[in-house]
């Protein structure tokens, strides 16, 4: 890269400090590379800061903690010849570049935008050789999204505080994501299983052998914890005994169907002494082609399914691989292309390099005649590339020593997916077998299938697991012996709960959010306690259901999945078709404001709502109802407040009986019972509410000793002048606090104990004013600016 023509250096600003060293190495000494560390300006947290009446004009401010960064960037900008804004190539990156250009004040004719989808020498040289200007349409699309999210969060969240519980929040996209989980939760709860019966069988070509007892013994669990042999282990047994599994398909020419035991047993009994032989064998060759290279959503799904990675973890590791890894003597290199993309496009250079690698490594039989091209979805950014290794010759094993375990596993996944997508299909011989038996209920046909790999193709790199059985050498007319025939009762299953992979897939399918936001959406809905993940499955919490139902009733458009998809499309049109962003916001805000006014007047408080239950109050024998409290749903007597009986219920609404412990109340002597609160399980007095004694317990249910009483110091409190400082215990150790807590919240370091004792004896402590106390304690007084004082009086922005 040639140096700048001026004696001054050109300033390059990237988002992440991790990129600086690598990029500076490629650009040379004529450039200075600095990092903005993400966004540097945003809507302030205090107040809505969107002038709705004046065409939704936003008010931006330097973000907390970023003033020092801005000062440093401004100082560098004053000295620079040219300013290159090299932030990420998505909307957020474009917006960061625009905010930087506004703050730094470098003339437009000396400000350039450079984008690259990989941190490699060739990509960076090409980007700086062809600098661009800031894409205003992309910036306005991001600004419209930010304003939409601020309006929804800032207007609806306070409503939820008043109508459900303090501290709750709503989000334009996240609330709809919660709705997906809540809908699935309700489908599962409402599901009524249907009974059906199957009559599977195991046959062997070794008709002279009786394997029945051997097979049954093989299936038995070896211990209480053992679940028996896996499918793979069963298939291995079948192969060793020339056996195969089959399922009853037809009876007397009709498809077999049994919805109860009586129907199944009539056929089962007829099969007991039947003779079986192979009726038909069909063999055909099939091909399975590789899937496209990764985009953000498919990477998250594959990492979840194959590696067990959460979406947030996947994106964190991918960011590290993209920004650069120190590879020893090779220096720091970016190993993958940009990881926030919805395009499956691959550059011609990457395709040529991969085809050469495949031919040299695996042979020409694995290489298609032409490079494979994959169609991206309609709204994909074709200027972006799929997620791929920046250098296919850098195999995972060769750089294993420089990577952490999780970096290696994710890079290996990306590398294999990319190489496999340019390889020939795998070929299989698929065998379909029909087995016939003449019985008293008519001709019974069993069917089964299996496949044998003829050519591994792309599966040589992208391994695929298969539970298909390997069939024995068999031909039409061969007799078979039944090893095992049984009638099995089954029930239809409810819809599967979402895991991270399937939730990402649903978000993508429904057009909720964008690839770059899936990880934050999934993280946010869990942080808000609207959804919880148990054994890698998502469950809607009581809070999530209550909030979703209320928002669904009063904000049907915002909670409508189709409308959310429509808004995403409108934001895309702002970027791609120069659609007026103010018009999009006006279209949204009119109906939203009406819904907000209606909800404010008519929405009933969640705690006032009751749902009938099947239980009777044990105290007064009246009906129990479900109510909603700060800890979720619980059962309460319908005659409250006359009868105050209440008890917890489980996720399915079943009453949880309070278990009486062996411990007695320290105050009244009544038995202590197990309870669950917002901080977990504890013991409470069975005499509640007359006696409110509680005892903390550990995870095993053992009672924890009470905290030691505060130790008096004899030192007077300087704030309230009435209390005395006492020594208390905290997670960080001992400290001094006023014994009038919580009315007086004075806290002083334990290190000051002896010093204050001496000062009190000298009559110097407590001083007359707080300022004097601060001087004695060596505390620095922080001056509050007018802006800070004003911000303190303003409500903070609800989390969105």
């Amino acid at each position: 890269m040639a140096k700048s023509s001026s004696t001054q250096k050109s300033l390059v600003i990237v988002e992440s400090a991790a990129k600086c060293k690598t990029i500076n190495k490629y650009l040379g000494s004529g450039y200075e590379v600095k990092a903005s560390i993400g966004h540097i300006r945003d809507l302030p947290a205090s107040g809505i800061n969107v002038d709705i009446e004046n065409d939704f004009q936003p008010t931006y401010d330097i973000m907390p903690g970023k003033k020092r960064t801005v000062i440093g960037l401004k100082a560098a900008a004053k000295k620079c010849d040219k300013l290159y804004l090299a932030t990420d190539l998505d909307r957020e990156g474009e917006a960061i570049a625009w905010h930087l250009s506004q703050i730094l004040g470098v003339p437009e004719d000396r400000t350039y935008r450079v984008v690259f989808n990989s941190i490699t020498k060739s990509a960076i040289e090409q980007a700086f050789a062809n600098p661009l200007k800031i894409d205003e349409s992309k910036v306005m699309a991001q600004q419209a999204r930010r304003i939409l999210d601020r309006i929804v969060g800032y207007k609806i969240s306070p409503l939820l505080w008043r109508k459900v519980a303090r501290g709750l929040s709503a989000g334009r996209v996240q609330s709809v994501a919660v709705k997906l989980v809540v809908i699935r939760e309700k489908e599962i709860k409402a599901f009524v299983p249907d009974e059906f019966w199957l009559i599977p069988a195991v046959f062997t070509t070794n008709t002279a052998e009786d394997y029945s007892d051997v097979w049954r013994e093989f299936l038995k669990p070896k211990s209480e914890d053992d679940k028996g042999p896996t499918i793979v282990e069963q298939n291995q047994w079948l192969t060793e005994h020339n056996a195969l599994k089959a399922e009853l398909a037809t009876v007397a020419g009709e498809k077999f169907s049994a919805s109860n035991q009586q129907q199944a047993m009539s056929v089962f009994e007829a099969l007991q002494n039947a003779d079986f032989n192979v009726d038909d064998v069909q063999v055909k060759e099939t091909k399975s082609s590789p899937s496209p290279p990764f985009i953000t959503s498919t990477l998250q799904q594959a990492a979840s399914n194959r590696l067990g990675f959460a979406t947030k973890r996947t994106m964190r590791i991918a960011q590290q691989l993209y920004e650069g890894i120190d590879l020893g003597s090779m220096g720091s290199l970016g190993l993958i292309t940009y990881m926030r993309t919805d395009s499956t496009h691959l550059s011609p250079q990457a395709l040529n390099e991969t085809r050469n690698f495949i031919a040299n490594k695996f042979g020409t039989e694995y290489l298609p005649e032409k490079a494979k091209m994959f169609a991206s979805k309609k709204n994909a950014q074709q200027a972006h590339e799929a997620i791929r290794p920046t250098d296919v010759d850098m195999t995972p094993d060769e750089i294993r020593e420089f990577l952490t375990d999780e970096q290696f596993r994710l890079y290996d996944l990306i590398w294999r997916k990319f190489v496999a997508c340019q390889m020939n299909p795998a070929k299989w011989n698929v065998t379909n077998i029909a087995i016939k038996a003449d019985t008293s209920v008519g001709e019974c046909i069993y069917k089964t299938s299996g496949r044998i790999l003829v050519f591994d193709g792309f599966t040589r790199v992208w391994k695929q697991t298969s539970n298909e059985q390997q069939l024995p050498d068999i031909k039409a007319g061969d007799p078979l012996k039944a090893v095992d025939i049984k009638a099995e009762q089954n029930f239809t299953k409810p819809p599967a709960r979402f895991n991270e992979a399937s939730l990402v897939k649903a978000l993508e399918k429904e057009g909720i959010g964008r690839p770059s936001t899936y990880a934050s959406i999934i993280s946010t809905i869990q942080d808000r306690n609207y959804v919880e993940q148990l054994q890698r499955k998502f469950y809607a919490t009581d809070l999530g259901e209550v909030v979703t139902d209320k928002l669904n009733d009063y904000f049907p458009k915002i909670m409508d999945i189709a409308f959310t998809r429509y808004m995403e499309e409108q934001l895309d049109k702002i970027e791609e078709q120069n659609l007026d962003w103010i018009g999009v916001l006006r279209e949204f805000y009119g109906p939203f404001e009406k819904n907000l006014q209606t909800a404010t007047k008519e929405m009933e408080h969640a705690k006032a709502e009751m749902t009938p239950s099947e239980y009777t109050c044990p105290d007064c024998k009246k009906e129990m109802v479900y109510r909603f409290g700060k800890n979720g749903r619980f059962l309460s007597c319908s005659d409250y407040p006359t009868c105050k009986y209440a008890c917890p219920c489980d996720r399915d609404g079943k009453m949880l009986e309070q278990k009486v412990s062996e411990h007695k109340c320290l105050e009244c002597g009544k038995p202590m019972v197990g309870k669950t609160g917002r901080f977990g399980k504890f013991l409470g007095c069975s005499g509640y509410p007359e006696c409110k004694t509680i005892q903390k317990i550990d995870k095993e249910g053992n009672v924890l000793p009470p905290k030691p009483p505060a130790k008096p110091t004899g030192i007077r409190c300087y704030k309230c002048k009435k209390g005395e400082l006492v020594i208390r215990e905290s997670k960080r150790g001992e400290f001094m606090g006023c014994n009038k807590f919580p009315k007086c919240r004075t806290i002083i370091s334990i290190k000051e104990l002896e010093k204050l004792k001496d000062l009190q004896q000298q009559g110097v402590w407590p001083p007359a004013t707080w300022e004097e106390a601060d001087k004695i304690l060596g505390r620095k007084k922080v001056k509050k600016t007018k802006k800070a004082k004003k911000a303190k009086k303003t409500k903070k922005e609800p989390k969105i």
Side-chain angles (χ1 to χ4, degrees):
M1 173 64 67
K3 291 184 181 181
S4 170
S5 58
S6 169
T7 55
Q8 294 176 305
K9 288 187 177 183
S10 294
L11 176 62
V12 181
I13 301 179
V14 296
E15 285 186 43
S16 168
K19 303 176 187 176
C20 292
K21 188 176 179 181
T22 306
I23 293 175
N24 222 145
K25 178 181 69 174
Y26 295 142
L27 293 176
S29 59
Y31 294 83
E32 181 181 14
V33 184
K34 287 186 171 292
S36 68
I37 321 295
H39 282 274
I40 48 98
R41 196 168 74 158
D42 196 10
L43 300 171
S46 55
I48 190 169
N49 289 293
V50 175
D51 190 348
I52 295 171
E53 302 300 325
N54 188 26
D55 288 339
F56 302 93
Q57 288 304 309
T59 299
Y60 292 113
D61 202 356
I62 304 298
M63 295 174 66
K66 287 299 182 73
K67 289 187 178 179
R68 184 173 294 180
T69 302
V70 171
I71 290 170
L73 293 176
K74 279 185 174 181
K78 285 180 181 178
K79 303 173 187 175
C80 76
D81 174 43
K82 294 178 182 178
L83 173 63
Y84 291 94
L85 301 170
T87 49
D88 289 350
L89 62 159
D90 54 11
R91 279 183 197 157
E92 293 295 318
E94 204 73 25
I96 293 171
W98 180 78
H99 283 292
L100 285 166
S101 70
Q102 299 291 303
I103 289 172
L104 300 182
V106 177
E108 189 176 340
D109 62 341
R110 292 196 287 117
T111 300
Y112 301 94
R113 175 81 170 107
V114 288
V115 294
F116 37 83
N117 78 321
S118 63
I119 303 178
T120 59
K121 192 171 190 289
S122 59
I124 289 169
E125 286 181 343
Q126 185 177 354
F128 278 82
N130 301 280
L132 308 169
K133 290 297 180 181
I134 292 173
D135 187 338
E136 296 280 347
S137 296
K138 194 177 274 190
V139 173
M140 292 304 105
Q142 189 276 343
Q143 179 170 269
R145 176 188 292 278
R146 184 72 185 96
I147 292 171
L148 271 175
D149 291 343
R150 172 58 68 95
I151 289 171
V152 171
Y154 200 86
K155 295 282 188 178
I156 297 183
S157 296
L159 178 68
L160 294 178
W161 298 352
R162 296 193 297 273
K163 303 295 184 179
V164 182
R166 290 290 300 176
L168 297 184
S169 56
R172 181 183 62 87
V173 175
Q174 292 91 337
S175 295
V176 183
V178 175
K179 181 179 178 179
L180 290 179
V181 182
V182 169
I183 289 173
R184 182 62 55 89
E185 192 76 41
K186 291 182 176 180
E187 288 173 347
I188 293 170
K189 288 179 180 177
F191 180 80
V192 178
D194 290 326
E195 181 183 5
F196 68 97
W197 287 71
L198 298 174
I199 307 180
V202 175
F203 301 101
T204 179
T205 58
N206 298 343
T207 55
E209 302 290 340
D210 187 356
Y211 295 133
S212 297
D213 291 340
V214 180
W215 169 250
R216 293 189 186 99
E217 186 64 30
F218 169 73
L219 292 179
K220 286 182 181 178
K222 303 296 184 291
S223 64
E224 290 184 7
D225 298 329
D226 184 29
K227 296 180 180 179
T230 64
I231 297 296
V232 173
E233 290 169 338
Q234 291 181 40
N235 288 342
Q236 180 65 33
W237 188 97
L238 295 173
T239 301
E240 292 171 357
H241 294 81
N242 288 327
L244 59 111
K245 284 183 179 179
E247 197 68 57
L248 182 60
T250 63
V251 177
E254 300 289 333
K255 182 180 178 182
F256 171 67
S257 176
S259 58
N260 56 56
Q261 186 176 13
Q262 184 179 357
Q263 293 173 349
M265 293 310 292
S266 62
V267 178
F268 174 73
E269 290 169 0
L271 288 165
Q272 291 306 295
N273 298 313
D275 293 323
F276 297 91
N277 59 73
V278 179
D279 185 53
D280 186 37
V281 178
Q282 297 284 340
V283 180
K284 62 179 180 179
E285 185 181 278
T286 63
K287 295 180 180 180
S288 58
S289 297
S291 53
F294 283 133
I295 58 176
T296 305
S297 59
T298 54
L299 173 63
Q300 291 171 345
Q301 292 169 50
S304 175
N305 290 330
R306 289 191 172 227
L307 308 180
F309 287 1
T311 51
K312 197 172 182 178
R313 182 184 182 188
T314 298
M315 297 309 290
R316 172 178 57 79
I317 303 166
Q319 183 88 30
Q320 296 167 0
L321 296 174
Y322 166 69
E323 291 181 348
I325 301 294
D326 188 353
L327 301 180
S329 61
M330 290 185 283
S332 181
L333 296 175
L335 296 181
I336 65 170
T337 53
Y338 192 56
M339 62 283 156
R340 294 185 179 92
T341 178
D342 53 2
S343 171
T344 53
H345 170 70
L346 295 169
S347 70
Q349 181 184 352
L351 290 172
N352 289 334
E353 289 174 356
T354 308
R355 287 175 60 79
N356 289 334
F357 177 86
I358 293 169
N360 295 330
K361 181 75 174 177
F362 305 113
T364 54
E365 66 270 25
Y366 287 89
L367 188 67
E369 290 184 12
K370 295 180 180 179
K372 293 189 176 184
M373 311 299 287
F374 299 92
S376 299
K377 61 181 184 178
K378 184 177 67 174
N379 295 326
Q381 301 264 341
Q382 289 304 320
H384 297 184
E385 273 197 80
I387 304 170
R388 63 169 177 82
T390 55
D391 184 355
V392 72
D393 291 317
M394 201 169 291
T395 65
D397 288 335
E398 287 178 354
I399 58 172
R400 176 72 181 89
E401 63 179 300
F402 303 107
L403 305 176
T404 64
D405 183 60
E406 59 183 8
Q407 288 172 346
F408 170 77
R409 294 174 70 195
L410 191 66
Y411 180 69
D412 184 69
L413 194 74
I414 294 168
W415 186 90
R416 289 180 181 279
K417 186 71 166 179
F418 173 60
V419 173
C421 84
Q422 292 302 313
M423 295 176 74
N424 270 323
K427 295 178 182 178
W428 307 82
N429 276 343
V430 177
T431 305
N432 294 302
I433 298 175
I435 300 166
K436 182 175 69 173
D438 292 319
T439 71
S440 58
V441 294
E443 184 181 75
C444 293
I445 301 292
Y446 273 86
K447 289 187 177 180
T448 189
S449 64
R451 65 178 184 173
I452 297 174
L453 186 64
V454 177
F455 173 65
D456 55 0
F458 76 94
T459 65
R460 180 163 178 180
V461 173
W462 187 256
K463 303 296 181 183
Q464 292 186 319
T465 56
S466 174
N467 289 329
E468 293 194 55
Q469 58 185 329
Q470 185 174 335
L471 301 174
D473 186 19
I474 205 167
K475 61 182 184 296
D478 284 353
L480 297 175
K481 185 172 184 178
V483 175
D484 186 35
I485 299 177
K486 57 185 176 182
E488 289 182 344
Q489 183 186 37
N490 293 273
F491 294 92
T492 53
K493 295 181 179 180
R497 293 190 179 280
F498 288 115
N499 56 23
E500 292 219 6
S502 59
L503 185 54
V504 167
K505 190 173 183 179
L507 292 173
E508 183 181 34
K509 179 185 176 184
E510 299 294 349
I512 299 171
R514 280 293 176 258
S516 59
T517 63
Y518 296 151
S520 63
I521 289 171
I522 291 173
S523 177
T524 300
I525 62 178
Q526 293 178 84
D527 293 342
R528 291 178 181 172
N529 196 33
Y530 294 153
V531 167
E532 60 182 344
Q533 195 171 178
L534 303 172
Q535 296 178 332
R536 299 187 65 193
K537 303 289 184 182
F538 285 116
Y539 292 76
T541 63
D542 293 333
L543 180 62
E545 290 191 32
V546 168
V547 170
T548 298
D549 289 344
K550 289 199 172 294
L551 293 181
N552 219 37
D553 289 342
Y554 290 95
F555 298 92
K557 255 196 168 181
I558 284 182
M559 297 298 286
D560 181 48
I561 294 171
F563 180 73
T564 304
R565 180 168 55 247
Y566 168 76
M567 289 306 300
E568 293 292 349
E569 291 168 354
Q570 294 296 92
L571 293 171
D572 289 340
K573 287 180 180 179
I574 294 172
E575 177 182 340
E576 297 161 9
Q577 302 175 20
N578 297 319
L579 185 66
D580 179 24
W581 68 273
I582 296 173
V584 171
L585 293 176
R586 282 177 182 160
E587 180 188 2
F588 166 82
Y589 189 75
F592 171 76
E593 177 64 20
K594 290 180 182 177
N595 289 339
L596 187 65
Q597 292 174 3
T598 302
T600 303
K601 294 176 184 176
E602 299 178 7
M603 187 184 288
E604 188 177 12
H605 199 290
K607 291 183 180 180
E609 296 175 341
M610 296 181 292
T611 307
S613 79
E614 61 187 76
Y615 299 103
T616 302
C617 176
D619 286 357
C620 69
K621 307 307 178 187
K622 292 189 177 179
E623 180 190 9
M624 296 279 285
V625 294
Y626 292 109
R627 297 181 190 270
F628 182 80
K630 61 183 179 181
N631 297 322
R633 189 169 55 156
F634 66 98
L635 280 162
S636 168
C637 181
S638 58
D639 199 26
Y640 178 87
T642 305
C643 177
K644 296 184 178 180
Y645 181 82
C647 69
C649 59
D650 65 12
R651 181 181 299 282
D652 299 318
K654 294 179 180 178
M655 180 187 287
L656 292 175
E657 295 183 7
Q658 294 183 336
K659 294 182 179 179
V660 179
S661 75
E662 59 189 17
H663 303 283
K664 301 291 182 182
C665 178
L666 300 175
E667 295 293 328
C668 67
K670 290 184 179 179
M672 300 291 283
V673 295
K675 295 188 176 184
T676 303
R678 62 187 301 184
F679 300 114
K681 295 182 178 180
F682 66 96
L683 293 179
C685 181
S686 57
Y688 180 87
E690 288 75 21
C691 179
K692 298 181 180 179
T693 303
I694 64 169
Q695 287 180 300
K696 293 183 179 180
I697 55 176
D698 60 20
K699 292 180 180 179
E700 285 72 37
N702 302 313
V703 175
L704 295 172
K707 279 188 177 181
K711 302 174 187 176
T713 65
I715 303 171
R716 287 173 58 198
C717 175
Y718 73 94
K719 279 188 179 179
C720 67
K721 301 292 194 299
K722 297 177 181 178
E724 175 188 324
L725 297 182
V726 293
I727 300 173
R728 300 183 191 276
E729 287 278 354
S730 75
K731 290 180 180 179
R732 297 180 181 178
E734 293 182 332
F735 69 96
M736 290 190 290
C738 183
N739 64 355
K740 297 296 182 183
F741 179 86
K743 288 186 177 180
C744 179
R745 297 176 179 267
T746 301
I747 291 177
I748 299 176
S749 171
I750 193 67
K751 295 177 183 178
E752 306 289 341
L753 176 60
E754 297 303 324
K755 177 182 175 181
L756 295 184
K757 280 184 178 180
D758 292 341
L759 291 174
Q760 185 163 287
Q761 286 179 356
Q762 297 169 23
V764 180
W765 186 272
T769 64
W770 293 7
E771 288 77 8
E772 291 178 64
D774 286 338
K775 286 181 181 178
I776 293 171
L777 296 169
R779 293 173 175 171
K780 292 181 180 179
K781 185 177 179 181
V782 180
K783 290 184 178 180
K784 290 184 179 178
T785 61
K786 289 181 180 180
K787 197 171 187 180
K789 290 176 182 176
K790 185 179 178 182
K792 190 176 180 182
K793 294 178 182 178
T794 312
K795 286 183 179 179
K796 285 189 176 180
E797 176 195 5
K799 295 177 184 176
I800 59 173

